[in-house]
Amino acid sequence: MKARLARSLHLVHRWLGIGAGLLVLGWFVSGLVMLYVPFPKLTAEERLPRLAPIPAEAVRISPAQAAALCPGEPRSLRLTTLDARPVFHFQGKGGACSVWADSGLPVGPVSAEAAHDTARRFLGTASISEAESIQRDQWTVYASHNAHRPLYRVAANDAAGTELYISSRSGEVLVDTTRFERGWSWIGTVLHWVYFTPLRDNNDLWRQIVLCLSFAALLTATTGLWLGIQRLRLKKRYPRGHVTPYRGIKRWHHLLGLTAGGFACTWLLSGWLSQHPFGLLEVSSPPPGAARRLTGGPLQASADLALLHRQLARLPDTREAEWQRFGSRNYLELRAPGNKLRVDEHAEITPPFSAETLAEAVHALEDAPVARAELIHAPDLYYYGHRSALILPAARIRFADSQDTTYYMDPASGRILLRLDDANRRHRWIFNALHRFDFPPIGGLRPLWDIIVTTLCLLGAALATSGCILGWRRINSRHHPHP
């Protein structure tokens, strides 16, 4: 019975490995690339310096007048510049809508010529291609771009091979990519997340494919690890004192499997669970309507144009202003390169909210008393990050309930940064810790974390490579049997 089981597992491992070996190799290599080359995006640090300062004297339309020209209730409202002219950008159920702040006329639909001019000013060069209209491509698969489709793609004739994607609704530059980012992202993010454009058009199909592929890879790794342990002899060794019965590439495959097999299994398991099969490892969200309850109602566009002028005067180099709401009061966040300022409905600079004020507001979302409210000035076990800059200090508010529900909030805006309960803590330790090796204190120690993760990925890639070689030899031997 035991021999039959071992034979069955051996066949499962062999034939699944032939099919999944290249996939696992690709995942290890792409995971390593992702450590250093993220998916292309346009960051605020790249975008703000390329915007012209908002000419306050040219703003002749109030936010309320501009909002009346856009359909639906706005969920976000920004004032920035386009072609050195002030423009209001709205986002809501009706999609993206933009209105010139100096004339009150709608911005969109944006023409190809206008998109070309925007790209030329953004890049500071006239050597660019004509604007090409597209619905989506490999670098614009995110749903956040849906409100701006179709998009315009403009390529620059520069050494970096820069390409820009511009909204046809607002005229804004949404994404910038370079040849370096695109090339490495094909090997990194696209391969790792199976992020191919046709699949991302159908999210359910994409998820099912990822679940099936990752489960096949997981089964390959677990059967291989079990077989590898069964064939290992540390006491009663094989001839010549060897701990493995294999020779050549099989020997390396066996030893690499014993070295990196455990890591490969936990890594593939956590990756499979990230897609929440059968409802496993699902994360929770704030209660329904939490954002509306914190803000105290919908975003309100002010009709006071004089107030807006006074607010903009608080930061003369303002490149972007965004309206926010908290506790039934409106605020305006002014942004300039390397600087940020928040003013209230009286154009007065507002200090950050205290932890107690935020605790009082978020208490309405949970049916439990607040156990502790405090400001934290450094990351903790659950609020942390490798690449993205954390908002610090942050308010940490713990509730006295059975799940020790905890909120992390931005003292400047009152926005929820993170909500923790038992489900989210499980996700942190089963996915983040196992898949990203975010174990304390290693997760916060750079470059030690980089060295450890790089080494593990290379070992996993070597294990998968040896499996691919064995699989190729097996297939080749069946097609070309020895005489």
Side-chain angles (χ1 to χ4, degrees), residues 449-462:
W449 178 87
D450 300 78
I451 295 172
I452 292 175
V453 173
T454 299
T455 301
L456 290 173
C457 284
L458 290 175
L459 285 172

Side-chain angles (χ1 to χ4, degrees), residues 1-14 223-224 226-228 230-231 246:
M1 183 67 180
K2 186 175 180 181
R4 186 180 300 173
L5 174 62
R7 177 62 180 168
S8 298
L9 290 178
H10 182 80
L11 291 174
V12 168
H13 179 70
R14 173 191 293 169
T223 54
W226 190 89
L227 290 168
Q230 293 298 310
R231 302 289 170 88
Y246 304 111

Side-chain angles (χ1 to χ4, degrees), residues 359-413:
E360 183 179 348
V362 80
H363 178 246
L365 307 180
E366 301 290 339
D367 187 21
V370 174
R372 186 175 182 182
E374 59 185 336
L375 285 179
I376 60 172
H377 298 267
D380 62 13
L381 285 177
Y382 297 97
Y383 183 65
Y384 65 97
H386 283 312
R387 292 191 186 130
S388 57
L390 292 177
I391 293 177
L392 290 170
R396 183 172 60 195
I397 302 162
R398 289 177 170 152
F399 286 85
D401 59 9
S402 60
Q403 298 196 44
D404 190 26
T405 303
T406 303
Y407 282 78
Y408 294 81
M409 303 187 70
D410 180 5
S413 66

Side-chain angles (χ1 to χ4, degrees), residues 73-78 89-97 144 147-148:
E73 178 184 290
R75 293 178 178 173
S76 69
L77 167 57
R78 294 177 295 116
H89 295 299
F90 297 87
Q91 190 100 14
K93 288 186 177 179
C97 175
S144 59
H148 298 274

Side-chain angles (χ1 to χ4, degrees), residues 91-112:
Q91 190 100 14
K93 288 186 177 179
C97 175
S98 299
V99 178
W100 292 112
D102 54 2
S103 67
L105 297 175
V107 173
V110 176
S111 67

